[in-house]
Amino acid sequence: MVLIRDLTIQGAQMLLVLFLAPLFTGFVRKVKARLLRREGPPLIQPYLDLVRLTRKDVVLADSASWLFRVIPYLVFAATWVAASLVPTFRTGLLFSWSADLIAIIALLGSGRFFLALAGMDVGTSFGGIGSSREVMIASLAEPAMIMIVFTLALIAGSTQLSTVAEFMASPQVGLRVSLGLALVGLVMVAIAENGRIPVDNPATHLELTMVHEAMVLEYSGRHLALIELSSSLKLILYVSLLACLFAPWGIEAAGAALPTLAVGIAAYVGKLAVGGFLLGLFETSIAKMRVFRVPEFLGAALMLGLLATLLRFVSGSF
Amino acid sequence: MTLTVALVCAAVLLALAAFAVIIGRSRAATRVIYGASMVIAAISLVAAAVHLLGAAEPLGVTLPLGVPWLGAHFRLDALSAFFLIVVDLGALSASLFALGYGEHETAPQRVLPFYPAFLAGMTLVVVADDAFTFLFSWEFMSLTSWALVMSHPRVPENVRAGYVYLVMASFGTLALLLAFGLLAGPGGLYAFAQMRVAPPSTTIGALALILTLIGAGSKAGVVPLHVWLPLAHPAAPSHVSALMSGVMTKVAVYGFMRIVFDLAGASAWWWSIVVLAIGGITAVMGVLYALMQHDLKRLLAYHTVENIGIIFIGLGLALAFKTHGMAFAAALALTAGLLHVFNHSLFKSLLFFGAGAVLTATGERDMEHLGGLIHRMPQTAFVFLVGCAAISALPPLNGFVSEWLTFQAILLSPQLPSWGLKLLVPAVGALLALSAALAAACFVKAYGVTFLGRPRTCAAEVATETDRFSLAAMMLLALLCLLAGILPGLFIDALAPVSSALIGARMPVQIGAQWLSIVPIAASRSSYDGLLVFLFMIISGGLAASAIHRLASDRLRRAPAWDCGYPDASPVTQYTAMSFAQPIRRVFGTMIFHAREHCEMPPPGDTRPARLVVDLSDPAWDWLYAPLVVGIGVAATRLNRLQFLTIRQFLTLVFGALVILLLVLAIWS
Amino acid sequence: MSRLDFDIAHLLAGLLVLISFLELYQDRLYALLNTYALHALVLAASVAWQAFVQDAPHLYVTAAIALVFKAIVIPVSLHRIIVRLGIHRQIEKVVGVGPAMLAGIGLVALSMVVMLRVTHGADPLAREDLAFALSVVLLGLLMMVTRQNAVGQVVGFMSLENGLVLAATGAKGMPLVVEISVAFSVLIAFIVIGIFLFRIRERFDTVDLQALDSFRGERR
């Protein structure tokens, strides 16, 4: 009975993030449009886009290989598995012990690895631009993320996300300096990993300013739909991660009764709304950086992560 | 029994080498020699595996060979058994690969005699139990691999590679000789068993550590003693490159472990700091060097340097924990390092085999002349992809497991009391994470430029798939990579006897854990389940595929590439390896390698194209070796005067040396 | 004192270190001045919190002085000076951002190690506040050392002084008279520097140190 309940909750979590992801993307676009005094597309526009894409033909370049066709499924699988393991409305998910924070980062890394290969597959220069810039950004964002994970693991005593989330929700955690530094670092890394302004512009049409869009330039039809869905999933994953680590109020502990789940889900949707609004506000108020200023930006995030870890190592109470 | 099997296998390999000298030029020689090597390696592998998995007691034997009053001691304990498994697995796969690859060898009589001898040398190093046998086997291993590097002496870069390799190998052996001399002490106790019962003083132990780092480290490829590796490894035939990178460097790690963990006695507080610092620097420098390369085999060789850095980080952590008495954490760090030894030998061999397959199919090693090989060589491309994914530490493959364990060991380090370690370990953790991310970038470049895209030259356009033996060897290794990633608990439990022997503790038993996950410390703290992640990914991917194929349109048509509406017919406009690395080169390389790009414009009227040239300088050569070479030249010129002394002056020198030796004897005894 | 008081004091001190790093990262003059204003604001908040926790009302005055003078008056005046002198608004750095940040981290680690060793028996809040204060001082010095522009050096000096104030309040109590004299000396130093900047600018048309170097007496 307990197994069936836990399995249902894990399945519900997986479906919840999958269905909320396009809505979140639509919400962020709406916020940005409203702040720019435009009407903006309807909130369900991403769903309509996905349906439209799946109904179209796939136009495949002559030089594309079998890997090009398989990669959207691989990227989607990796991102969806990672997103299912981040607690949104409840900790103690059934399979949360199979992958901890480091494994979640590595899963996202494998999604990025294959997407970069897809950029190289067709043999055009735009794909190359996207892939080479993406791996440069990743080469700094991933170490920064790992240092932040170290800080959190040293404070909470575990790298298991459920345990960390429960620790953050408990009164044992104080207002620690390392947590503050980790929060700032995580926000910077999240912006870089999801390709938002100021690192990359998700709505650009100028190919020389693209990073993520240039890698997927040759995709069309159902493949493009999967890739767009994966990007939305990745964005909602990072926002959920920030919410469960630094704003854990409302997350139900493992073993809570089913009616309280409604409270957990409501709290989660509320956090998503706040996160989406802040993201839209931030993106509207700042300009995109030159490509070679991004390493300085991410270098700063890496330094923050390193400083936070160093403080934890050197004195236990930081 | 298992030790006897190993020694008999080594003897048969030596006999095979002698036999190969005789039949070297005949047509069937390749098949015979490699086939026999494969069978012998398999037998030895089974014996070593039986010994390790059975957690048997160490076996020793003394043969009346070598130095008369010493004999030749051999011993097979858990550490030797593990490294013997690594050696034999590498030998097995290399011989299987060479059954197909060796057919393309233009001068088989230069390769065939030395190959079994090389295997025999590596086997003997791992089971040697006294200093003389160890050094003799070590030097034998170096010389046979040198002969294999020089198997194509007409190519000028091979000659230089061989020369540098010989100099560095001799220097390394000298350092090891001094180290063993110090450990043996004035009593001349050269057998390892005698060294174990008489541990040295702290100064002697410290000197032994430094000398071992220089000697074994240069063979393993730690920065800055790595310079021979990217010259020599690509020069040898591909199966030998795989053995040198994947296996011989591990034999060097074995030498380091044997001396530092077993023979040098109790470690001082600063030993682990040196090892950790060197490991961290090696890891990052190795991968940065690799990113600047466009020769496929040289890229792989530099990448070996990075992985050796990761192994040394694991060993340094183990040493740190052991020194401060945290046995359990030391077992974790040691297991992480050893698991990385095993994993690296698997995927590095796989990648070198792939590079060899590409070399035979196209005749090119330079990535800038390749491209689009995924269409012409689909199976090689698939296994090479598995190798690239494994080496980039992507779950659910094996590279991720050893890296995850190393991170867990780093997370245990705040409990260490030493301040130096408290400051160094987080920095080393950052360096490790940086090198992992850069490694993924490196292999996106290597795979993307070589196999994906469009062919850049005719050589790439007419490539054909490799033969079935090479493919079989590569598929075997790819399968092992997947298994080690999905079932890591089995491999961790297999390593338990090694950590028990060296540290006195072992990691918790993994077999009973839930759903075959691995729990390095405690279930509440962290766990990882490779099998479940793998199944999860397959299920999600399958669900997505079935949903898409039910709900979406399944039409597909081919068209020219979109490329923003301006498709370029020439494949020259694709990204090359140097252009792919440009952002990273600009971020990291500007300071470290003085990377500069300049454009060579031909004068007006000249019809040559303008060239964009990248200048890189190697800091190890500029700062360490070039001054050293200049210094040696100067010293040699000065010492040249000794050639032209009179007879009386020569006699004075001899007399002076005799007097000094008598003085030393008088003072010391 | 309770856990929460401890944590908030810690957090404010750590925020001060973070803002010092942010100052190291800036390469535009106006942004640097705004960051410095933020630095002084957080210092004022930290001193006010210390006043609340230690029950020392004279520290409120210190906080008010920090707020009014350092967070408002000085940045606004420097802003005006920059506009009037027409100073080049990009700060050239002697070393790049990356090495400067790495050096900053090394300095923080160093001050941690030194302070935690030296003050072995003292009150834990004071110890760690002192460690952070030393970090801010060292980072201020680093900023002075790695900047070409004279205004950048002035800001570095100011943030160094902020670190000293943090150290003084953390060490439980600083008499008001000392604070007034410190504030006046800062004001006088600022006036003097301002006058010098005017004269330098008048004579040489620039305040860039490298250009000024060529006017020095000894030639190399």
Side-chain angles (χ1 to χ4, degrees), chain A residues 112 135 138-143, chain B residues 287 291 306 392 403 431-442 584:
Chain A
R112 186 178 40 232
V135 298
S139 69
L140 286 165
E142 216 174 274
Chain B
V287 73
L291 271 162
E306 183 226 353
S392 311
E403 198 160 294
L431 286 177
L432 183 62
L434 185 64
S435 70
L438 286 172
C442 186
I584 294 187

Side-chain angles (χ1 to χ4, degrees), chain A residues 21 23-33 35-36 186-202 231-240 242 270-287 297:
Chain A
L23 183 61
F24 185 72
T25 311
F27 179 67
V28 173
R29 285 189 200 153
K30 188 79 166 171
V31 166
K32 283 168 73 169
L35 285 171
L36 293 172
L186 187 54
V187 169
M188 291 167 87
V189 169
I191 291 175
E193 289 255 350
N194 288 297
R196 312 301 296 187
I197 294 180
V199 172
D200 180 18
N201 188 351
S231 324
S232 305
L233 263 178
K234 197 166 162 183
L235 183 62
I236 208 176
L237 186 159
Y238 271 96
V239 177
S240 311
L242 277 164
K271 286 181 222 174
L272 280 183
V274 170
F277 179 74
L278 288 174
L279 179 63
L281 188 62
F282 182 71
E283 284 202 299
T284 325
S285 52
I286 196 169
F297 180 73

Side-chain angles (χ1 to χ4, degrees), chain A residues 10 14 54-67 69 73-74 76-78 80-81 85 95 97-100 102-103 106-107 109-110 113-114 116-117 120-126 128-129 131-133 135-136 138-140 142-143 146-147 150 153-154 157-160 163 207 217-218 222 226 290 292 295 302 306 309-310 312-314, chain B residues 374-375 382 385 388-389 392-395 400 404 407-408 410-411 413-414 419 422-423 425-427 429-430 433-434 437-438 440-441 443-444 447-449 452-454 514-515 517 523-529 532-533 536-537 540-541 543-545 548-549 552-564 573-575 580 582-584 586-588:
Chain A
Q10 172 78 70
M14 288 176 75
T54 50
R55 283 209 281 229
K56 290 187 146 203
D57 296 359
V58 166
V59 178
L60 213 54
D62 290 326
S63 48
S65 61
W66 61 266
L67 192 61
R69 297 167 66 172
Y73 298 98
L74 280 174
F76 178 73
W80 197 20
V81 170
L85 295 169
F95 294 121
W97 46 263
S98 65
D100 61 347
I102 302 181
L107 274 171
S110 59
F113 180 83
F114 283 110
L117 283 180
M120 303 286 286
D121 189 58
V122 178
T124 61
S125 37
F126 286 122
I129 286 185
S131 299
S132 68
R133 287 175 177 178
V135 298
M136 173 193 78
S139 69
L140 286 165
E142 216 174 274
I146 290 196
M147 296 315 287
F150 275 7
L154 289 172
S158 163
T159 49
Q160 212 64 269
T163 320
E207 293 80 16
L217 203 59
E218 302 288 334
R222 56 186 185 270
L226 273 177
R290 279 186 58 203
F292 285 109
L302 177 58
L306 183 58
T309 310
L310 200 67
R312 285 298 304 169
F313 260 81
V314 162
Chain B
I374 193 171
H375 302 282
F382 178 70
L385 181 64
C388 288
S392 311
L394 304 179
F400 177 68
W404 187 78
F407 280 138
Q408 295 296 332
I410 290 180
L411 284 172
S413 354
W419 278 99
K422 273 209 220 280
L423 292 177
V425 172
L434 185 64
L438 286 172
F443 280 95
V444 168
Y447 193 76
V449 174
L452 301 178
R454 295 175 281 162
Q514 209 178 359
W515 284 78
S517 63
S524 61
R525 192 172 162 117
S526 53
S527 60
Y528 168 70
D529 193 339
L532 214 61
V533 167
F536 235 156
M537 282 180 72
S540 323
L543 272 176
I548 290 279
H549 282 278
S553 129
D554 60 353
R555 287 195 299 272
L556 185 149
R557 62 173 202 270
R558 291 267 177 179
W562 155 239
D563 209 12
C564 302
T573 56
Q574 284 179 99
Y575 251 51
F580 190 88
Q582 188 253 5
I584 294 187
R586 202 163 139 172
V587 172
F588 296 101

